[in-house]
Amino acid sequence: MKIGVAREIKSDEYRVALTPAGARELVQSGHEVLVETGAGEGSSFPDDAYEGVGARIVSVDEVWESSELLLKVKEPIEPEYGRLRDGLVLFTYLHIAADEPLTRALVESGIAAVAYETVETDSGALPLLAPMSEIAGRLAAQAGAYFLEKPLGGRGLLLGGVAGVAPGKVVVMGGGIVG
């Protein structure tokens, strides 16, 4: 199978849908892996890391036109709608409930799309959503500390404290993976 990895063009999205290690596994299993030029840069994976494991670096046009299965992280955005086509399987986070234009573009294109967030195990667990929730949980404290800084309108509280000043206290709300 020809498996493509598209470069994310959504603003402030730096992730890539497949690491070089994942590409190596797919190549060793007999698949052809096409990686769009620069797809891994935001995650510090240069093109040569993919080439080194047997993937081929290709243009944006080739990755969308030649792939049978296209991997992305985020949902296609309006500039990508014209690339959606019948015969292509798209595997990405979609979150279509909140995006009518995307939903229409997917339906009208004839593409087969599988949303990461809907993949379930037999027990009902969400194995592809869980790691993102774990990351969000880890980032929550870091983001909270950032917004406590005085220049950002916060109280100027240093969570770790300093000599003579008690550390800040944090309340975690929620009991799921993020909490």
Side-chain angles (χ1 to χ4, degrees):
M1 174 177 272
K2 283 188 179 181
I3 301 171
V5 180
R7 184 170 189 247
E8 298 299 325
I9 62 169
K10 188 170 186 175
S11 193
D12 295 322
E13 181 54 65
Y14 305 103
R15 295 174 291 177
V16 63
L18 188 69
T19 64
R24 181 188 64 238
E25 293 298 318
L26 292 172
V27 169
Q28 288 177 349
S29 294
H31 301 288
E32 183 179 354
V33 178
L34 311 173
V35 178
E36 183 181 338
T37 303
E41 287 176 359
S43 293
S44 298
F45 297 123
D47 289 346
D48 63 0
Y50 290 97
E51 288 177 313
V53 298
R56 203 160 47 93
I57 303 301
V58 299
S59 68
V60 62
D61 292 333
E62 186 171 354
V63 80
W64 281 91
E65 293 167 8
S66 298
S67 299
E68 297 167 281
L69 171 64
L70 186 75
L71 308 177
K72 284 183 51 59
V73 175
K74 292 301 289 177
E75 71 281 352
I77 59 174
E78 195 277 328
E80 296 170 311
Y81 291 174
R83 297 184 180 280
L84 304 175
R85 60 178 168 78
D86 190 33
L88 177 63
V89 178
L90 175 65
F91 195 32
T92 188
Y93 286 108
L94 284 172
H95 307 294
I96 59 175
D99 195 339
E100 184 178 347
L102 172 60
T103 304
R104 289 187 187 283
L106 292 169
V107 170
E108 291 168 5
S109 72
I111 197 169
V114 180
Y116 292 154
E117 68 271 16
T118 64
V119 174
E120 290 185 26
T121 64
D122 290 340
S123 65
L126 302 167
L128 303 181
L129 194 55
M132 293 300 104
S133 297
E134 183 179 355
I135 291 168
R138 304 271 174 134
L139 282 173
Q142 186 174 325
Y146 175 76
F147 287 107
L148 284 171
E149 294 177 9
K150 201 70 159 170
L152 295 163
R155 294 178 45 212
L157 181 67
L158 180 62
L159 286 182
V162 291
V165 178
K169 294 185 180 189
V170 175
V171 176
V172 176
M173 299 178 73
I177 292 171
V178 174

